[in-house]
Amino acid sequence: MEHEIPVEIIHEVMVARGALTNAEQRALVMDLREIAKVAPPFSPMTGWGKPMSVKITAAGRFCWFSDRKGYRYIEAHPQTGNPFPPIPPLALAVWERFESRVPPDCCLINYYGEGARMGLHQDRDEADFGFPVVSISLGDPGLFRIGGVERKSPTRSFWLESGDAMALQAETRLAHHGIDRIKFGESALLPKGGRLNLTLRRVAPA
Ligand code: MD6
Ligand code: FE
């Protein structure tokens, strides 16, 4: 990640287009494959007992989890009981461009197959909203929708492409957001298609 990456502001969100080169994207996908071998992706249950269309796993100390009892962070894989593997250095380097005070302790890995989406939500289960949530997109483009802190606030959308990084921080840290749809099969990065999204965050107090 030697190259300079300009950060632009799209609908109040800091977006670093092409933060990862093609070679870095391929290297990161290889790291994610190794992570998926020891921490297999799973589909958490929503509050109303339906599995999410996105498959998730994680690296770092924490993984986000959801079942009928609600949302929380867990420190052991729900099926294997093992801790999650370390966060890949390439992902840590992206985080550092946005937040240099503390390292992230959670890298959530979301996989979107054909037709998968993520409903409008807030990320608010972390201890300190002074730290950002940093996202990295890989594979097929995803249509990112962002609104306000209030669920009923108006929303706007833009496409996140493979290699893009962005951060929700300061006034957008608690904004509602989601992924409406992906352009399945548009990117050649993942042989079977789909979109991977990494979200790096600081769950525990610094
Ligand atoms: C996604 N992203 O891009 C879903 N959350 O697949 C998120 O939910 C998200 O991109 C917090 C901060 C940045 C994000
Ligand atoms: Fe989120």
Side-chain angles (χ1 to χ4, degrees), residues 121 123 177 201:
H121 67 277
D123 289 61
H177 59 277
R201 64 268 313 281

Side-chain angles (χ1 to χ4, degrees), residues 110 118 121-123 133 144 168 177-178 199 201:
N110 294 318
M118 187 173 295
H121 67 277
Q122 282 174 303
D123 289 61
V133 180
F144 185 78
L168 294 188
H177 59 277
T199 48
R201 64 268 313 281

